[in-house]
Amino acid sequence: QLQLVESGGGLVQPGTFLSVNCSAAGFALDDYAIGWFRQVPGKEREVVSCIKRGHRVAVKGRVVISRDSAVNTVNLKINNLKPDDTAVYYCAAEQTPARCSGRAGDYTIWGQGTQVTVSS
């Protein structure tokens, strides 16, 4: 069974950075586009950012996604955290080449999520 597992997160202070890892069991993350999503209670899951197959790093504003092929992991880093960044963060994978989708429905493999709380 193909699985993703998020690790990291927890309680982080405003103005600092968040680092969350996504690791895979049973498949190579390099063969997939990876999306990072987040969700708060009562709201729809929203995309944070994503990285295409074949790309090593993706930067979008405060958000950096990077791959570490040696350990089959994709890292999400968000700089200058704000209280509004509080959410459950999920990584997801899909195999369509040459794209990086912002739609949750395009992803076929999901992690269980990790809680991130930004508070002093």
XYZ file of all heavy atoms in Angstrom:
902
model
N 0.851 -1.192 0.000
C 0.000 0.000 0.000
C 0.887 1.243 0.000
O 1.849 1.317 0.747
C -0.889 0.006 1.240
C -1.887 1.138 1.260
C -2.832 1.034 2.449
O -2.799 0.070 3.190
N -3.676 2.022 2.619
N 0.529 2.194 -0.849
C 1.319 3.413 -0.950
C 0.897 4.366 0.157
O -0.278 4.681 0.305
C 1.117 4.057 -2.320
C 1.417 3.168 -3.520
C 1.228 3.928 -4.815
C 2.819 2.598 -3.446
N 1.889 4.855 0.903
C 1.587 5.731 2.026
C 2.536 6.905 2.078
O 3.699 6.793 1.685
C 1.711 4.960 3.349
C 0.609 3.960 3.612
C 0.740 3.334 4.992
O 1.829 2.917 5.380
N -0.361 3.278 5.717
N 2.032 8.013 2.589
C 2.848 9.175 2.908
C 2.751 9.434 4.404
O 1.682 9.224 5.004
C 2.360 10.412 2.156
C 2.493 10.380 0.636
C 1.789 11.582 0.014
C 3.953 10.341 0.224
N 3.838 9.908 4.973
C 3.850 10.204 6.396
C 4.481 11.572 6.599
O 5.623 11.808 6.172
C 4.633 9.147 7.192
C 4.676 9.515 8.666
C 4.018 7.767 7.002
N 3.736 12.472 7.260
C 4.289 13.771 7.610
C 4.932 13.705 8.987
O 4.452 12.983 9.875
C 3.196 14.848 7.637
C 2.465 15.063 6.332
C 1.213 14.223 6.230
O 1.051 13.292 7.048
O 0.377 14.481 5.343
N 5.987 14.466 9.168
C 6.633 14.566 10.475
C 7.100 15.995 10.671
O 7.455 16.686 9.716
C 7.803 13.588 10.597
O 8.770 13.839 9.600
N 7.152 16.410 11.927
C 7.504 17.782 12.247
C 6.258 18.551 12.642
O 5.201 17.983 12.868
N 6.353 19.846 12.674
C 5.222 20.666 13.073
C 5.192 20.863 14.571
O 6.220 21.006 15.197
N 3.988 20.874 15.143
C 3.845 21.126 16.566
C 3.616 22.600 16.842
O 3.050 23.320 16.023
N 4.098 23.064 17.988
C 3.939 24.465 18.386
C 5.159 25.256 17.942
O 6.286 24.902 18.297
C 3.775 24.561 19.899
C 3.638 25.970 20.479
C 2.362 26.631 19.977
C 3.648 25.910 22.002
N 4.925 26.304 17.184
C 6.006 27.156 16.697
C 5.642 28.612 16.943
O 4.469 28.977 16.932
C 6.309 26.911 15.207
C 7.015 25.586 15.005
C 5.045 26.936 14.375
N 6.662 29.437 17.116
C 6.422 30.836 17.458
C 6.234 31.700 16.214
O 6.851 31.438 15.170
C 7.591 31.368 18.275
C 7.746 30.689 19.621
C 8.340 31.611 20.664
O 8.880 32.661 20.334
N 8.237 31.232 21.921
N 5.406 32.721 16.296
C 5.275 33.654 15.171
C 6.625 34.264 14.833
O 7.447 34.516 15.712
C 4.311 34.714 15.703
C 3.554 34.037 16.800
C 4.519 33.077 17.416
N 6.821 34.489 13.540
C 8.065 35.090 13.081
C 9.188 34.121 12.842
O 10.187 34.470 12.212
N 9.045 32.878 13.319
C 10.066 31.869 13.072
C 9.672 31.066 11.823
O 8.856 31.529 11.021
C 10.221 30.939 14.277
O 9.014 30.210 14.488
C 10.553 31.737 15.535
N 10.250 29.881 11.649
C 9.921 29.108 10.463
C 9.399 27.734 10.853
O 9.647 27.218 11.930
C 11.130 28.977 9.534
C 12.244 28.125 10.085
C 12.300 26.759 9.812
C 13.228 28.674 10.892
C 13.311 25.974 10.334
C 14.248 27.897 11.410
C 14.281 26.542 11.145
N 8.665 27.153 9.914
C 8.125 25.811 10.060
C 8.874 24.879 9.113
O 9.149 25.251 7.969
C 6.640 25.805 9.695
C 5.992 24.449 9.443
C 5.855 23.690 10.746
C 4.644 24.625 8.752
N 9.181 23.689 9.586
C 9.770 22.668 8.721
C 9.027 21.361 8.949
O 9.001 20.842 10.060
C 11.259 22.495 9.034
O 11.839 21.507 8.201
N 8.420 20.851 7.909
C 7.674 19.597 7.966
C 8.171 18.691 6.845
O 8.367 19.149 5.719
C 6.159 19.827 7.805
C 5.409 18.508 7.904
C 5.649 20.789 8.857
N 8.378 17.438 7.164
C 8.833 16.472 6.172
C 7.717 15.536 5.751
O 6.845 15.189 6.554
C 9.990 15.641 6.713
C 11.292 16.412 6.724
O 11.583 17.167 5.810
N 12.074 16.228 7.774
N 7.798 15.102 4.514
C 6.895 14.110 3.957
C 7.751 12.951 3.451
O 8.621 13.152 2.594
C 6.104 14.721 2.813
S 5.005 13.593 1.940
N 7.526 11.775 3.997
C 8.277 10.610 3.557
C 7.316 9.575 2.998
O 6.116 9.593 3.297
C 9.104 10.021 4.703
O 8.271 9.658 5.774
N 7.874 8.658 2.202
C 7.032 7.685 1.506
C 7.436 6.265 1.855
O 8.603 5.973 2.079
C 7.135 7.887 0.006
N 6.428 5.392 1.872
C 6.668 3.964 2.030
C 6.170 3.266 0.778
O 5.021 3.412 0.397
C 5.929 3.432 3.252
N 7.070 2.569 0.087
C 6.640 1.758 -1.034
C 6.777 2.395 -2.403
O 6.461 1.750 -3.404
N 7.222 3.644 -2.467
C 7.410 4.265 -3.777
C 8.378 5.436 -3.642
O 8.619 5.942 -2.546
C 6.080 4.720 -4.374
C 5.371 5.789 -3.590
C 5.397 7.106 -4.012
C 4.669 5.472 -2.434
C 4.739 8.095 -3.297
C 4.008 6.444 -1.716
C 4.042 7.762 -2.136
N 8.907 5.863 -4.778
C 9.896 6.938 -4.794
C 9.208 8.276 -5.025
O 8.523 8.479 -6.042
C 10.924 6.682 -5.892
N 9.402 9.202 -4.121
C 8.763 10.508 -4.257
C 9.240 11.276 -5.478
O 8.517 12.130 -5.995
C 9.017 11.339 -2.990
C 8.273 10.867 -1.742
C 8.630 11.753 -0.557
C 6.779 10.840 -1.967
N 10.436 10.977 -5.952
C 10.929 11.656 -7.153
C 10.052 11.383 -8.372
O 10.090 12.141 -9.346
C 12.370 11.224 -7.448
C 13.378 11.922 -6.545
O 12.968 12.787 -5.748
O 14.579 11.602 -6.647
N 9.275 10.322 -8.346
C 8.421 9.967 -9.477
C 7.061 10.653 -9.424
O 6.203 10.397 -10.285
C 8.203 8.455 -9.517
C 9.487 7.687 -9.792
O 10.407 8.270 -10.396
O 9.570 6.507 -9.380
N 6.864 11.520 -8.428
C 5.565 12.141 -8.210
C 5.692 13.648 -8.044
O 6.694 14.149 -7.505
C 4.923 11.574 -6.947
C 4.459 10.143 -7.069
C 5.367 9.097 -7.048
C 3.116 9.842 -7.204
C 4.960 7.786 -7.174
C 2.686 8.526 -7.319
C 3.613 7.510 -7.306
O 3.185 6.205 -7.427
N 4.660 14.343 -8.489
C 4.488 15.723 -8.050
C 3.960 15.680 -6.615
O 3.128 14.828 -6.280
C 3.502 16.462 -8.949
N 4.449 16.588 -5.795
C 4.049 16.623 -4.391
C 3.368 17.951 -4.088
O 3.884 19.024 -4.413
C 5.269 16.468 -3.463
C 6.019 15.172 -3.779
C 4.825 16.510 -2.001
C 5.199 13.912 -3.592
N 2.228 17.857 -3.489
C 1.510 19.042 -3.048
C 1.450 19.099 -1.542
O 1.372 18.066 -0.874
N 1.512 20.292 -1.026
C 1.296 20.520 0.408
C 0.000 21.306 0.563
O -0.196 22.338 -0.100
C 2.457 21.288 1.022
C 3.654 20.448 1.291
C 4.746 20.300 0.495
C 3.896 19.642 2.451
N 5.651 19.443 1.080
C 5.149 19.032 2.283
C 3.176 19.379 3.619
C 5.709 18.164 3.232
C 3.734 18.523 4.559
C 4.975 17.924 4.368
N -0.842 20.803 1.436
C -2.144 21.416 1.695
C -2.274 21.654 3.197
O -1.542 21.064 3.998
C -3.276 20.496 1.218
C -3.329 20.332 -0.270
C -2.469 19.466 -0.924
C -4.237 21.052 -1.026
C -2.505 19.315 -2.304
C -4.295 20.908 -2.408
C -3.423 20.038 -3.044
N -3.239 22.489 3.554
C -3.527 22.678 4.965
C -5.029 22.891 5.142
O -5.731 23.290 4.204
C -2.742 23.852 5.538
C -3.116 25.218 4.990
C -2.147 26.264 5.509
N -2.481 27.601 5.063
C -1.727 28.664 5.269
N -0.569 28.555 5.915
N -2.117 29.851 4.832
N -5.469 22.599 6.345
C -6.896 22.697 6.623
C -7.121 23.097 8.077
O -6.435 22.596 8.980
C -7.587 21.355 6.338
C -9.098 21.405 6.377
C -9.718 20.130 5.838
O -9.106 19.059 5.832
N -10.946 20.236 5.366
N -8.075 23.999 8.258
C -8.509 24.372 9.602
C -9.957 23.933 9.755
O -10.678 23.807 8.761
C -8.364 25.887 9.853
C -6.895 26.292 9.771
C -9.201 26.701 8.884
N -10.410 23.710 10.975
C -11.798 23.250 11.173
C -12.801 24.198 10.545
O -12.696 25.426 10.672
C -11.932 23.218 12.700
C -10.548 23.012 13.197
C -9.667 23.762 12.240
N -13.749 23.616 9.846
C -14.813 24.403 9.239
C -14.481 24.991 7.887
O -15.326 25.648 7.279
N -13.256 24.775 7.417
C -12.851 25.306 6.108
C -12.393 24.184 5.197
O -12.014 23.105 5.642
C -11.722 26.331 6.283
C -12.160 27.631 6.929
C -11.069 28.667 6.783
C -11.530 30.029 7.261
N -10.485 31.072 7.071
N -12.406 24.476 3.898
C -11.921 23.502 2.931
C -10.402 23.409 2.980
O -9.718 24.374 3.352
C -12.374 23.901 1.522
C -13.854 23.729 1.282
C -14.206 23.887 -0.191
O -13.302 24.093 -1.011
O -15.405 23.787 -0.509
N -9.916 22.269 2.561
C -8.473 22.081 2.458
C -7.945 23.005 1.350
O -8.504 23.072 0.263
C -8.174 20.619 2.128
C -6.756 20.196 2.336
C -6.645 18.682 2.298
N -7.338 18.050 3.426
C -7.263 16.757 3.699
N -6.516 15.957 2.936
N -7.925 16.247 4.712
N -6.866 23.718 1.648
C -6.320 24.663 0.671
C -4.867 24.321 0.376
O -4.147 23.790 1.229
C -6.402 26.102 1.186
C -5.563 26.393 2.401
C -5.582 27.859 2.804
O -6.404 28.626 2.274
O -4.767 28.240 3.663
N -4.456 24.645 -0.845
C -3.079 24.353 -1.228
C -2.139 25.381 -0.610
O -2.448 26.566 -0.520
C -2.948 24.330 -2.768
C -3.215 25.698 -3.366
C -1.596 23.794 -3.183
N -1.002 24.897 -0.160
C 0.079 25.762 0.311
C 1.039 26.024 -0.843
O 1.359 27.161 -1.174
C 0.817 25.117 1.500
C 2.008 25.969 1.929
C -0.143 24.897 2.667
N 1.503 24.963 -1.444
C 2.356 25.028 -2.627
C 2.584 23.607 -3.118
O 2.082 22.643 -2.529
C 3.691 25.716 -2.308
O 4.406 25.978 -3.498
N 3.337 23.471 -4.203
C 3.585 22.146 -4.760
C 4.880 22.164 -5.552
O 5.423 23.230 -5.863
C 2.419 21.676 -5.625
S 2.015 22.786 -6.972
N 5.366 20.963 -5.868
C 6.595 20.831 -6.628
C 6.391 19.763 -7.702
O 5.836 18.697 -7.442
C 7.785 20.483 -5.691
C 9.104 20.473 -6.460
C 7.565 19.160 -4.962
C 10.330 20.440 -5.547
N 6.823 20.070 -8.922
C 6.641 19.162 -10.043
C 7.624 18.005 -9.979
O 8.671 18.082 -9.338
C 6.862 19.910 -11.362
C 5.878 21.005 -11.643
C 6.219 21.696 -12.964
C 5.308 22.869 -13.233
N 5.654 23.546 -14.496
N 7.306 16.943 -10.689
C 8.260 15.869 -10.909
C 9.499 16.435 -11.589
O 9.391 17.276 -12.489
C 7.642 14.799 -11.805
C 6.566 13.984 -11.145
C 5.862 13.085 -12.141
N 6.786 12.142 -12.778
C 6.410 11.221 -13.645
N 5.120 11.121 -13.990
N 7.279 10.400 -14.182
N 10.666 15.988 -11.170
C 11.909 16.425 -11.800
C 12.461 17.735 -11.267
O 13.570 18.116 -11.622
N 11.716 18.414 -10.437
C 12.205 19.656 -9.850
C 12.742 19.377 -8.458
O 12.144 18.611 -7.698
C 11.089 20.697 -9.801
C 10.730 21.237 -11.135
N 10.482 22.577 -11.366
C 10.593 20.637 -12.335
C 10.200 22.768 -12.627
N 10.260 21.600 -13.254
N 13.827 20.041 -8.102
C 14.447 19.809 -6.809
C 13.939 20.770 -5.747
O 13.859 20.422 -4.574
C 15.966 19.949 -6.913
C 16.620 19.155 -8.038
C 16.257 17.704 -7.990
N 16.518 17.094 -6.710
C 16.039 15.904 -6.375
N 15.288 15.211 -7.213
N 16.327 15.404 -5.183
N 13.639 22.001 -6.176
C 13.211 23.043 -5.243
C 12.099 23.860 -5.892
O 12.126 24.116 -7.105
C 14.381 23.989 -4.876
C 13.914 25.078 -3.910
C 15.539 23.206 -4.257
N 11.144 24.276 -5.083
C 10.090 25.183 -5.537
C 9.935 26.265 -4.482
O 9.771 25.963 -3.299
C 8.781 24.428 -5.735
N 9.972 27.520 -4.933
C 9.878 28.650 -4.012
C 8.672 29.489 -4.404
O 8.490 29.844 -5.570
C 11.150 29.513 -4.062
C 11.020 30.696 -3.096
C 12.373 28.680 -3.713
N 7.855 29.812 -3.401
C 6.684 30.658 -3.653
C 6.484 31.536 -2.423
O 5.954 31.092 -1.410
C 5.448 29.789 -3.890
C 4.167 30.568 -4.143
C 2.984 29.610 -4.290
C 1.684 30.368 -4.442
N 0.522 29.435 -4.525
N 6.946 32.767 -2.505
C 6.816 33.679 -1.386
C 7.549 33.168 -0.149
O 8.745 32.921 -0.166
N 6.806 32.960 0.934
C 7.407 32.483 2.187
C 7.659 30.979 2.195
O 8.214 30.444 3.152
C 6.471 32.817 3.365
C 6.240 34.295 3.600
C 5.392 34.516 4.866
N 4.038 34.011 4.726
C 3.442 33.182 5.580
N 4.101 32.725 6.641
N 2.188 32.802 5.384
N 7.205 30.307 1.149
C 7.180 28.842 1.148
C 8.279 28.274 0.260
O 8.440 28.705 -0.892
C 5.810 28.341 0.653
C 5.776 26.817 0.634
C 4.693 28.897 1.535
N 9.004 27.299 0.797
C 10.030 26.584 0.038
C 9.749 25.094 0.164
O 9.606 24.579 1.277
C 11.447 26.887 0.555
C 12.480 26.114 -0.266
C 11.732 28.379 0.511
N 9.674 24.409 -0.969
C 9.553 22.946 -0.983
C 10.817 22.398 -1.608
O 11.261 22.890 -2.662
C 8.330 22.479 -1.786
C 7.044 23.028 -1.157
C 8.272 20.954 -1.832
C 5.787 22.699 -1.963
N 11.397 21.385 -0.993
C 12.627 20.812 -1.531
C 12.598 19.296 -1.397
O 11.965 18.748 -0.487
C 13.852 21.384 -0.814
O 13.794 21.137 0.568
N 13.292 18.647 -2.325
C 13.374 17.188 -2.314
C 14.738 16.736 -1.791
O 15.756 17.357 -2.102
C 13.194 16.635 -3.735
C 11.850 16.890 -4.363
C 11.780 16.239 -5.737
N 10.563 16.538 -6.455
C 9.458 15.800 -6.407
N 9.432 14.714 -5.643
N 8.373 16.137 -7.107
N 14.734 15.643 -1.035
C 15.968 14.965 -0.649
C 15.827 13.516 -1.092
O 15.244 12.684 -0.389
C 16.199 15.062 0.859
C 17.559 14.523 1.284
O 18.167 13.744 0.509
O 18.013 14.868 2.376
N 16.345 13.248 -2.271
C 16.171 11.920 -2.865
C 16.865 10.832 -2.061
O 16.416 9.687 -2.038
C 16.705 11.922 -4.301
O 16.044 12.882 -5.075
N 17.965 11.174 -1.397
C 18.740 10.174 -0.662
C 17.914 9.509 0.429
O 18.116 8.338 0.754
C 19.986 10.812 -0.075
N 16.982 10.273 1.009
C 16.160 9.719 2.080
C 14.682 9.680 1.692
O 13.825 9.474 2.550
C 16.352 10.510 3.392
C 17.751 10.260 3.937
C 16.108 11.989 3.199
N 14.402 9.879 0.393
C 13.032 9.784 -0.127
C 12.065 10.662 0.666
O 11.031 10.211 1.156
C 12.555 8.320 -0.101
C 11.390 8.087 -1.038
O 11.224 8.790 -2.030
N 10.586 7.077 -0.721
N 12.429 11.952 0.754
C 11.677 12.887 1.573
C 11.489 14.197 0.820
O 12.341 14.611 0.031
C 12.432 13.155 2.890
O 12.515 11.940 3.632
C 11.712 14.195 3.731
N 10.356 14.825 1.067
C 10.109 16.176 0.571
C 9.859 17.069 1.782
O 9.054 16.724 2.651
C 8.906 16.220 -0.386
C 8.585 17.659 -0.781
C 9.191 15.390 -1.635
N 10.532 18.194 1.817
C 10.450 19.104 2.949
C 9.642 20.342 2.586
O 9.791 20.900 1.510
C 11.852 19.525 3.399
C 11.822 20.514 4.546
O 11.971 21.706 4.338
N 11.632 20.014 5.745
N 8.796 20.765 3.512
C 8.068 22.025 3.404
C 8.629 22.973 4.447
O 8.700 22.627 5.623
C 6.575 21.819 3.674
C 5.753 23.103 3.865
C 5.586 23.817 2.535
C 4.390 22.776 4.480
N 9.014 24.157 4.001
C 9.481 25.182 4.925
C 8.663 26.448 4.684
O 8.537 26.893 3.545
C 10.962 25.472 4.711
C 11.529 26.472 5.717
C 13.023 26.693 5.500
C 13.594 27.667 6.522
N 15.035 27.949 6.292
N 8.113 27.002 5.746
C 7.399 28.271 5.674
C 8.109 29.252 6.593
O 8.235 29.000 7.796
C 5.925 28.135 6.084
C 5.217 27.100 5.216
C 5.217 29.480 5.977
C 3.766 26.865 5.590
N 8.567 30.339 6.035
C 9.283 31.360 6.800
C 8.317 32.401 7.355
O 7.181 32.552 6.878
C 10.314 32.032 5.899
C 11.408 31.078 5.474
O 12.048 30.446 6.307
N 11.610 30.937 4.178
N 8.789 33.133 8.357
C 8.038 34.253 8.920
C 6.594 33.853 9.250
O 5.626 34.426 8.733
C 8.053 35.441 7.956
C 7.502 36.701 8.591
O 7.497 36.834 9.810
N 7.037 37.621 7.763
N 6.474 32.856 10.102
C 5.167 32.308 10.412
C 4.238 33.320 11.054
O 4.656 34.203 11.828
C 5.321 31.115 11.354
C 5.852 29.843 10.728
C 6.218 28.846 11.806
C 4.849 29.248 9.761
N 2.951 33.157 10.741
C 1.903 33.999 11.296
C 0.877 33.099 11.990
O 0.750 31.923 11.633
C 1.233 34.793 10.179
C 2.213 35.562 9.299
C 1.520 36.215 8.141
C 2.500 36.756 7.112
N 3.496 37.676 7.672
N 0.112 33.638 12.925
C -0.926 32.817 13.569
C -1.890 32.188 12.566
O -2.385 31.078 12.791
C -1.620 33.821 14.486
C -0.552 34.806 14.833
C 0.269 34.951 13.586
N -2.142 32.866 11.450
C -3.041 32.323 10.412
C -2.478 31.085 9.728
O -3.199 30.411 8.993
C -3.340 33.384 9.351
C -4.329 34.432 9.841
O -4.924 34.212 10.916
O -4.496 35.455 9.159
N -1.204 30.786 9.942
C -0.628 29.563 9.382
C -0.995 28.327 10.214
O -0.658 27.209 9.839
C 0.893 29.684 9.300
C 1.343 30.716 8.270
O 0.761 30.743 7.172
O 2.270 31.495 8.581
N -1.667 28.526 11.329
C -2.105 27.402 12.155
C -3.091 26.531 11.386
O -4.091 27.038 10.857
C -2.763 27.915 13.448
O -1.779 28.613 14.224
C -3.336 26.771 14.265
N -2.800 25.240 11.299
C -3.640 24.321 10.531
C -3.069 22.912 10.666
O -1.974 22.724 11.213
C -3.663 24.714 9.049
N -3.817 21.952 10.149
C -3.269 20.610 9.919
C -2.671 20.621 8.516
O -3.340 21.009 7.556
C -4.344 19.526 10.045
C -3.739 18.156 9.724
C -4.958 19.541 11.442
N -1.426 20.209 8.413
C -0.717 20.206 7.143
C -0.634 18.790 6.590
O -0.289 17.848 7.320
C 0.681 20.795 7.315
C 0.660 22.302 7.418
C 0.215 22.936 8.571
C 1.056 23.091 6.334
C 0.159 24.317 8.646
C 1.013 24.478 6.412
C 0.560 25.079 7.575
O 0.511 26.454 7.646
N -0.925 18.669 5.294
C -0.923 17.381 4.608
C 0.005 17.426 3.401
O 0.061 18.446 2.700
C -2.312 17.037 4.083
C -3.396 16.934 5.114
C -4.109 18.057 5.522
C -3.731 15.703 5.679
C -5.114 17.965 6.463
C -4.739 15.597 6.619
C -5.430 16.733 7.004
O -6.429 16.627 7.939
N 0.694 16.330 3.143
C 1.366 16.189 1.855
C 0.582 15.185 1.016
O -0.110 14.308 1.552
C 2.818 15.771 2.002
S 3.113 14.157 2.761
N 0.691 15.355 -0.293
C -0.049 14.504 -1.217
C 0.785 14.301 -2.477
O 1.630 15.146 -2.809
C -1.388 15.138 -1.559
N 0.526 13.199 -3.174
C 1.331 12.854 -4.341
C 0.433 12.483 -5.516
O -0.634 11.884 -5.344
C 2.260 11.682 -4.009
N 0.883 12.848 -6.713
C 0.203 12.433 -7.938
C 1.237 12.355 -9.058
O 2.248 13.049 -9.016
C -0.948 13.374 -8.293
C -0.536 14.777 -8.629
C -0.791 15.140 -10.075
O -1.154 14.250 -10.867
O -0.635 16.321 -10.422
N 0.974 11.502 -10.057
C 2.005 11.165 -11.040
C 1.922 11.894 -12.361
O 2.754 11.651 -13.232
C 1.999 9.653 -11.307
C 2.807 8.872 -10.296
C 3.056 7.448 -10.750
O 2.122 6.677 -10.956
N 4.317 7.078 -10.913
N 0.966 12.789 -12.538
C 0.866 13.470 -13.822
C 2.138 14.259 -14.088
O 2.540 15.089 -13.271
C -0.337 14.419 -13.846
O -1.505 13.678 -13.509
C -0.501 15.055 -15.206
N 2.783 14.039 -15.227
C 4.031 14.759 -15.489
C 3.786 16.211 -15.861
O 2.701 16.581 -16.305
C 4.630 13.983 -16.676
C 3.464 13.351 -17.340
C 2.453 13.060 -16.268
N 4.808 17.031 -15.675
C 4.843 18.409 -16.153
C 3.751 19.283 -15.570
O 3.334 20.266 -16.188
C 4.769 18.441 -17.676
N 3.263 18.953 -14.370
C 2.336 19.870 -13.742
C 2.478 19.786 -12.235
O 3.031 18.848 -11.684
C 0.895 19.574 -14.133
C 0.233 18.459 -13.330
C -1.260 18.409 -13.562
N -1.880 17.333 -12.787
C -3.154 16.986 -12.892
N -3.942 17.620 -13.749
N -3.648 16.010 -12.148
N 1.948 20.796 -11.603
C 1.948 20.902 -10.153
C 0.573 21.456 -9.803
O 0.340 22.654 -9.907
C 3.089 21.842 -9.758
S 3.217 22.209 -8.038
N -0.337 20.589 -9.427
C -1.732 20.991 -9.283
C -2.012 21.591 -7.916
O -1.513 21.111 -6.896
C -2.635 19.774 -9.501
O -3.976 20.115 -9.234
N -2.865 22.599 -7.893
C -3.319 23.186 -6.642
C -4.658 22.626 -6.197
O -5.224 23.090 -5.200
N -5.155 21.614 -6.909
C -6.449 21.036 -6.572
C -6.271 19.741 -5.803
O -5.625 18.807 -6.283
C -7.269 20.771 -7.838
C -7.569 22.007 -8.645
C -8.642 21.720 -9.673
N -8.477 20.435 -10.335
C -9.437 19.803 -10.996
N -10.643 20.329 -11.042
N -9.207 18.660 -11.597
N -6.876 19.653 -4.655
C -6.734 18.452 -3.827
C -7.217 17.212 -4.552
O -6.654 16.123 -4.391
C -7.490 18.643 -2.512
N -8.247 17.359 -5.365
C -8.815 16.209 -6.068
C -7.895 15.576 -7.088
O -8.144 14.452 -7.532
N -6.841 16.261 -7.472
C -5.896 15.710 -8.443
C -4.889 14.757 -7.800
O -4.169 14.056 -8.508
C -5.133 16.825 -9.144
C -6.022 17.595 -10.115
O -7.008 17.019 -10.622
O -5.738 18.789 -10.347
N -4.839 14.730 -6.511
C -3.848 13.919 -5.793
C -4.453 12.596 -5.351
O -5.591 12.550 -4.878
C -3.284 14.690 -4.592
C -2.431 15.851 -5.028
C -3.004 17.074 -5.366
C -1.051 15.716 -5.147
C -2.224 18.143 -5.801
C -0.249 16.777 -5.562
C -0.845 17.982 -5.891
O -0.069 19.030 -6.326
N -3.671 11.540 -5.501
C -4.183 10.194 -5.254
C -3.647 9.556 -3.985
O -4.205 8.580 -3.499
C -3.837 9.283 -6.443
O -2.415 9.316 -6.658
C -4.555 9.745 -7.706
N -2.565 10.080 -3.466
C -1.965 9.514 -2.256
C -1.825 10.653 -1.250
O -1.315 11.732 -1.589
C -0.570 8.911 -2.536
C -0.631 7.926 -3.699
C -0.025 8.212 -1.291
C 0.737 7.494 -4.203
N -2.255 10.405 -0.014
C -2.260 11.430 1.018
C -1.608 10.925 2.301
O -1.685 9.736 2.624
C -3.695 11.869 1.340
C -4.299 12.707 0.282
C -4.916 12.273 -0.855
C -4.346 14.135 0.246
N -5.342 13.353 -1.599
C -5.012 14.501 -0.949
C -3.900 15.139 1.093
C -5.226 15.833 -1.308
C -4.113 16.460 0.742
C -4.773 16.803 -0.447
N -1.017 11.849 3.035
C -0.569 11.553 4.375
C -1.704 11.775 5.367
O -2.792 12.246 5.006
N -1.429 11.467 6.622
C -2.455 11.570 7.657
C -2.562 12.978 8.233
O -3.516 13.285 8.946
C -2.158 10.577 8.788
C -1.116 11.035 9.801
C 0.309 11.033 9.261
O 0.578 10.527 8.178
N 1.224 11.606 10.033
N -1.591 13.821 7.943
C -1.615 15.195 8.417
C -0.848 15.376 9.711
O -0.722 14.442 10.516
N -0.348 16.591 9.904
C 0.347 16.930 11.136
C -0.101 18.320 11.586
O -0.205 19.241 10.770
C 1.875 16.874 10.966
O 2.505 17.101 12.229
C 2.395 17.903 9.971
N -0.402 18.460 12.863
C -0.898 19.724 13.390
C 0.245 20.721 13.556
O 1.295 20.387 14.121
C -1.579 19.515 14.745
C -2.044 20.792 15.430
C -3.204 21.452 14.710
O -4.173 20.795 14.345
N -3.118 22.775 14.503
N 0.002 21.935 13.081
C 0.943 23.035 13.282
C 0.180 24.163 13.969
O -0.861 24.600 13.480
C 1.532 23.531 11.950
C 2.352 24.793 12.164
C 2.366 22.433 11.305
N 0.687 24.619 15.091
C 0.072 25.716 15.823
C 1.089 26.836 15.966
O 2.183 26.625 16.517
C -0.394 25.265 17.215
O -1.325 24.183 17.072
C -1.064 26.411 17.959
N 0.739 27.996 15.442
C 1.629 29.155 15.505
C 1.127 30.068 16.615
O 0.074 30.695 16.499
C 1.675 29.907 14.164
C 2.654 31.073 14.261
C 2.062 28.963 13.041
N 1.875 30.119 17.678
C 1.442 30.889 18.840
C 2.638 31.183 19.716
O 3.577 30.380 19.803
C 0.397 30.116 19.630
O 0.058 30.805 20.822
N 2.582 32.325 20.394
C 3.635 32.671 21.348
C 3.228 32.233 22.749
O 3.988 32.415 23.700
C 3.923 34.170 21.313
O 2.739 34.894 21.522
